[in-house]
């Protein structure tokens, strides 16, 4: 077991760009995780940890022993100074990790349900919104989340943090809008595009068959391609002064209507 006490250690310095730069994450096939809950969820869903960094000064002895025995990876103990250099949060959980990324190709999805329920989000950019979408997807036990035309690296630490680790508990795939549309057609999944114009009320649709609920950004909505090629357009009737709501809130309303129609099974 290693013990690193200098923030100038070459390995510690190499973790900063891994934490902060999507290019480094893509090139290395690795990413940075902070937090006991997030790392625990990653392990539960078969993510491979390369290194587990523990700060004994911040951990109870029983928790330290738990983590020392939990992960089948290189374990490195670090002091408070090194931890402070690496950690992004103000909280002091004392556990960090480097993990191997998974494939997020559409072909890697495994939809075993006879009537899969999928969320598609086109071009979401804000990590907080993406994290909230992933939390909602986990709460509803969706079959998959697909990001069309992604603008943000999935392993951005802010996505991991805002999703509370639900990036790891969901099946997540990415692709272009064209690729996602083709994938849904090939797998006989009916797509419902959330928009304002030419749309029917969301609660009047039948979501008991294989279904993809498709949402766009608050600023731009969905692209013309989705509006042209989706199987149906749906809207949430708005009764106030504005004509839109936060994308994660809208997605939650649509998702749980579909779950209600399915008697919350699956």
């Amino acid at each position: 077991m290693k013990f690193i006490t200098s923030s100038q250690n070459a390995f510690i310095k190499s973790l900063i760009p891994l934490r902060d730069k999507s290019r480094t994450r893509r090139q290395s096939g690795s990413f940075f995780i902070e937090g006991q809950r997030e790392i625990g969820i990653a392990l539960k869903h078969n993510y491979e940890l390369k290194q587990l960094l523990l700060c004994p000064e911040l951990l109870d002895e029983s928790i330290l022993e738990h983590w020392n025995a939990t992960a089948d990876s290189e374990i490195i103990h670090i002091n408070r100074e090194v931890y402070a250099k690496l950690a992004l949060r103000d909280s002091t959980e004392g556990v960090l990790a480097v993990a191997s990324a998974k494939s997020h190709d559409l072909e890697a999805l495994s939809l075993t349900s006879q009537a899969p329920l999928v969320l598609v989000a086109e071009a979401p950019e804000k990590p907080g919104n993406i994290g909230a979408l992933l939390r909602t997807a986990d709460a509803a036990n969706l079959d998959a989340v697909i990001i069309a035309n992604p603008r943000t690296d999935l392993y951005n630490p802010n996505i991991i943090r805002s999703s509370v680790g639900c990036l790891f508990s969901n099946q997540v795939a990415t692709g272009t809008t064209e690729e996602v549309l083709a994938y849904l057609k090939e797998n006989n999944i009916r797509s419902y595009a959330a928009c304002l114009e030419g749309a029917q009320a969301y609660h009047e649709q039948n979501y008991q068959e294989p279904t993809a609920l498709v949402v766009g950004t608050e600023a731009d909505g969905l692209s013309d391609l989705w509006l042209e090629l989706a199987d149906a357009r749906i809207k949430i009737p708005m009764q106030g002064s504005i004509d839109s709501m936060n994308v994660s809130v809208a997605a939650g309303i649509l998702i749980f209507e579909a779950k209600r129609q399915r008697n919350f099974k699956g």
Side-chain angles (χ1 to χ4, degrees):
M1 183 184 300
K2 293 182 181 179
F3 188 46
I4 298 177
T5 58
S6 172
S7 60
Q8 298 304 308
N9 175 276
F11 171 70
I12 298 302
K13 291 172 72 173
S14 74
L15 297 182
I16 303 301
L18 186 68
R19 183 193 68 190
D20 296 341
K21 297 182 179 180
S22 60
R23 180 179 179 182
T24 303
R25 292 191 288 270
R26 287 195 304 270
Q27 290 176 340
S28 67
S30 303
F31 65 98
F32 187 82
I33 317 178
E34 178 178 348
Q36 295 187 42
R37 176 162 51 178
E38 289 84 346
I39 295 170
I41 294 173
L43 285 170
K44 181 179 178 181
H45 292 277
N46 301 315
Y47 274 81
E48 177 189 354
L49 299 189
K50 294 183 175 181
Q51 287 93 17
L52 182 66
L53 291 82
L54 306 173
C55 183
E57 297 170 71
L58 301 176
L59 296 170
D60 293 338
E61 185 174 347
S62 60
I63 296 176
L64 181 62
E65 290 178 358
H66 164 76
W67 284 108
N68 278 330
T70 294
D72 185 17
S73 61
E74 179 183 17
I75 296 177
I76 301 171
H77 284 192
I78 56 177
N79 63 9
R80 191 186 293 263
E81 174 196 349
V82 174
Y83 181 84
K85 183 178 181 67
L86 295 174
L88 291 172
R89 300 181 188 174
D90 294 331
S91 60
T92 53
E93 288 198 312
V95 181
L96 308 166
V98 178
S100 298
K102 287 187 177 182
S103 170
H104 294 285
D105 294 338
L106 287 164
E107 293 73 19
L109 289 178
S110 176
L111 301 181
T112 57
S113 169
Q114 290 185 346
L117 180 59
V118 175
L119 172 67
V120 177
E122 186 181 39
E125 188 171 14
K126 297 178 182 178
N129 280 344
I130 297 170
L133 289 168
L134 291 168
R135 290 180 71 175
T136 302
D138 177 90
N141 194 27
L142 294 189
D143 293 280
V145 176
I146 301 176
I147 309 295
N149 297 342
R151 295 182 181 177
T152 305
D153 171 20
L154 283 177
Y155 292 110
N156 181 314
N158 291 321
I159 291 179
I160 296 173
R161 176 173 56 188
S162 62
S163 76
V164 199
C166 291
L167 171 63
F168 311 128
S169 61
N170 287 291
Q171 278 202 96
V172 184
T174 63
T176 66
T177 283
E178 292 84 354
E179 290 169 342
V180 176
L181 276 162
Y183 177 85
L184 297 177
K185 297 292 184 183
E186 289 167 5
N187 288 275
N188 298 312
I189 299 172
R190 186 171 173 82
S191 57
Y192 293 85
C195 63
L196 295 175
E197 297 182 3
Q200 296 178 310
Y202 77 100
H203 59 281
E204 296 175 352
Q205 307 302 308
N206 180 358
Y207 306 118
Q208 298 182 62
E209 299 301 318
T211 295
L213 301 169
V214 189
V215 296
T217 63
E218 295 158 54
D220 302 321
L222 288 168
S223 65
D224 290 341
L225 198 57
W226 275 111
L227 299 181
E228 292 168 10
L229 298 180
D231 294 297
R233 298 184 187 185
I234 55 173
K235 65 179 179 181
I236 299 170
M238 307 293 289
Q239 298 181 318
S241 300
I242 60 172
D243 63 1
S244 66
M245 62 179 68
N246 177 275
V247 64
S248 60
V249 174
I253 292 170
L254 301 178
I255 287 167
F256 277 94
E257 169 59 19
K259 294 293 292 187
R260 184 195 66 79
Q261 291 186 16
R262 294 164 177 237
N263 295 317
F264 296 97
K265 294 180 181 178

